[in-house]
Amino acid sequence: MTRSVYFDCDTGVDDALALALLLAQGGSVLAGIGTVSGNTAAGQAARNTLDLLALAGHDDIPVAVGAHHPLAGDFHGGADRVHGGNGIGGIELPAATRQPQDQDAAELLLRLAREHAGELRIVATGPLTNLALALRRDPELPGRVRDVTVMGGAVRVPGNVTGRAEANIAGDPAAATAVFDAAWPVTVVPLDVTMRHRFDESDRAALAAGPPLTAALGAMLTGYFDYYEPVLGERQVPLHDPIAAGVAIGLLHPADAPLVGLRVEPDGHLVEDDTAARRTRVVLSLTADAAPVILRTILQQSAG
């Protein structure tokens, strides 16, 4: 795979893990990165992304700031309690010297889709606003994209922002509807699977003991553990975004991934709809525990 992934993210802690996993492909997998407001504001997410890329020695990957507000309404602030005030657990990374691209994230996506027509894979781990904006600007976009993998939704389990809705889909339900309705293959990696695969403190410690990029990941995970410990009743964190990235690049393999008809409710709840075309793949389980695969891949690349 060469320069074939556009990564659309709201770089918080688990997005940072997903980024490290994508970089573990030698960096060659990433054609570009766009940011959107979700865990933190789109501008802060871009700064986090640039700093992480610099720490990893990958200053050649373009980063573009995307939508601050959803398609309808306003961005109501990030998930400070979960991801810290700056999206990455409140830790300070060495500042990258470069700035984001002049074009916005939707334009970056459109450019990459033209340059890699038929090959580009989209991995989206935040609200889907940038993808929806790109579709508005060019309705022919789906014909140039190989597939789309979305971390989002709670299909057969409770949500994490309401009893039914998950944060990424709830962050822009109208955008999610546009993305799911478009004529490209979509795989959804929802809370149904991501909540069941987790890092524990030994995994965090292994990252913290590594080189600068993994050490930063270990440091930012501390606050993430602090948030999830009372939620889960044990000191663990779910691996939402890195699982979606791992599925997209074939590192992780679905065991149960039915094609279903999905409807997005106004509150962001994903509903299985028997009257809708069954064309969205929903990953409900994996063939193996994702945590050791994700950890080993990130550490092996960093050591190399």
Side-chain angles (χ1 to χ4, degrees):
M1 216 187 285
T2 58
R3 297 267 183 215
S4 56
V5 170
Y6 166 78
F7 184 38
D8 200 87
C9 53
D10 55 345
T11 307
V13 176
D14 57 334
D15 304 79
L17 288 170
L19 176 60
L21 192 66
L22 293 169
L23 291 175
Q25 308 303 306
S28 62
V29 70
L30 278 167
I33 302 170
T35 62
V36 64
S37 293
N39 294 327
T40 190
Q44 180 65 51
R47 175 46 50 197
N48 295 345
T49 303
L50 288 165
D51 293 348
L52 286 164
L53 289 173
L55 204 58
H58 286 288
D59 276 336
D60 57 331
I61 299 169
V63 175
V65 179
H68 179 64
H69 296 295
L71 295 183
D74 297 321
F75 175 56
H76 295 300
D80 292 7
R81 291 188 306 126
V82 186
H83 295 271
N86 66 352
I88 49 173
I91 73 163
E92 294 296 327
L93 298 174
T97 56
R98 66 182 177 127
Q99 299 300 315
Q101 301 282 295
D102 291 335
Q103 62 189 165
D104 68 12
E107 285 301 320
L108 175 62
L109 170 55
L110 292 173
R111 174 170 70 81
L112 294 174
R114 290 190 296 269
E115 292 175 359
H116 304 273
E119 299 177 359
L120 191 70
R121 315 189 92 135
I122 297 173
V123 180
T125 59
L128 299 175
T129 318
N130 292 332
L131 277 61
L133 290 172
L135 287 166
R136 282 184 178 179
R137 296 177 194 178
D138 183 1
E140 301 302 316
L141 172 64
R144 291 192 293 276
V145 170
R146 181 172 175 179
D147 53 40
V148 180
T149 302
V150 173
M151 189 283 123
V155 180
R156 300 176 183 175
V157 299
N160 60 2
V161 292
T162 72
R164 307 189 308 169
E166 177 274 335
N168 288 341
I169 306 301
D172 197 338
T177 296
V179 169
F180 294 148
D181 286 350
W184 48 20
V186 176
T187 295
V188 174
V189 181
L191 298 182
D192 305 56
V193 63
T194 64
M195 287 298 296
R196 301 207 305 266
H197 296 262
R198 306 172 184 175
F199 273 175
D200 61 24
E201 274 287 357
S202 67
D203 301 311
R204 191 201 66 77
L207 290 169
L213 176 62
T214 71
L217 296 173
M220 67 180 68
L221 275 166
T222 299
Y224 207 49
F225 273 93
D226 291 344
Y227 169 79
Y228 270 109
E229 186 171 12
V231 174
L232 300 175
E234 49 193 335
R235 197 158 176 81
Q236 297 181 341
V237 294
L239 295 168
H240 305 301
D241 295 350
I243 289 176
V247 168
I249 62 176
L251 182 68
L252 301 173
H253 305 286
D256 184 14
L259 285 172
V260 303
L262 282 183
R263 184 178 75 253
V264 184
E265 294 288 283
D267 68 347
H269 181 207
L270 285 188
V271 178
E272 291 182 81
D273 185 349
D274 290 337
T275 68
R278 295 174 178 265
R279 59 189 188 85
T280 305
R281 186 172 71 145
V282 177
V283 178
L284 298 173
S285 65
L286 301 175
T287 58
D289 184 8
V293 177
I294 291 168
L295 181 67
R296 180 173 63 251
T297 303
I298 292 173
L299 289 176
Q300 284 177 345
Q301 175 59 31
S302 299

